[in-house]
Amino acid sequence: MYSFVITFLFALLGGIVTYIGMPKFESAVQPPLSPPAYLFPIVWSILFLLMAVGATIIYDSDEETSPKALFLYTIQLTFNFWWCVLFFGFRLYFMAFIWLLLLLLCVFIMTVLFYRISRLAGLIQIPYLLWLLFASYLNFGVWFLNR
């Protein structure tokens, strides 16, 4: 339960920043393959649910490395939130792109740690990794097209 509360608190905070910045973002030139705006909250809700399930599995495990994995989990949630601030709040698209690459690295390492503790906890993070790769393309595209 703790993992769900922490995860969705970060999701809520990021969602608020995103919602406030969405009108300016929607007026920016979008790269090809940009999904419609209504799809983002659906995808992110699913991803945050999978993150929370994975973190709960790790939290409930007796593995010695669980605290390290959960620490990295919290770090990536923090990076995720601050990406929203950089991208939607301040519209610092290039800086947000660099930040997103760091987030991607954190999530990759977290996924490996989760996988070593629980196959399922690691595997259900793969959609998050894939979405972050796609988000990196979108972020870079928004920066490039709106310089």
Side-chain angles (χ1 to χ4, degrees), residues 6-7 9-11 13-14 48 51 70-86 99 102-103 106-107 110 128:
I6 294 298
T7 302
L9 178 62
F10 273 96
L13 293 173
F48 276 110
M51 282 186 248
L70 291 172
F71 177 74
L72 192 54
Y73 178 74
T74 305
I75 295 297
Q76 71 82 20
L77 284 174
T78 305
F79 266 72
N80 189 306
F81 167 74
W82 283 104
W83 176 84
C84 295
V85 172
L86 291 170
W99 194 263
L102 293 172
L103 171 60
C106 285
V107 173
M110 179 202 75
Y128 183 29

Side-chain angles (χ1 to χ4, degrees), residues 90-104:
F90 295 122
R91 294 183 316 278
L92 296 171
Y93 298 137
F94 187 72
M95 188 169 179
F97 173 70
I98 299 302
W99 194 263
L100 188 53
L101 295 179
L102 293 172
L103 171 60
L104 194 53

Side-chain angles (χ1 to χ4, degrees), residues 46-58 73 76 104 107-108 110-115 118-132:
I46 293 167
L47 295 175
F48 276 110
L49 178 62
L50 291 173
M51 282 186 248
V53 169
T56 299
I57 292 169
I58 300 304
Y73 178 74
Q76 71 82 20
L104 194 53
V107 173
F108 177 77
M110 179 202 75
T111 301
V112 170
L113 292 175
F114 274 27
Y115 186 84
S118 163
R119 253 188 168 170
L120 177 60
L123 290 174
I124 63 176
Q125 303 312 307
I126 292 174
Y128 183 29
L129 279 169
L130 295 174
W131 183 258
L132 288 177

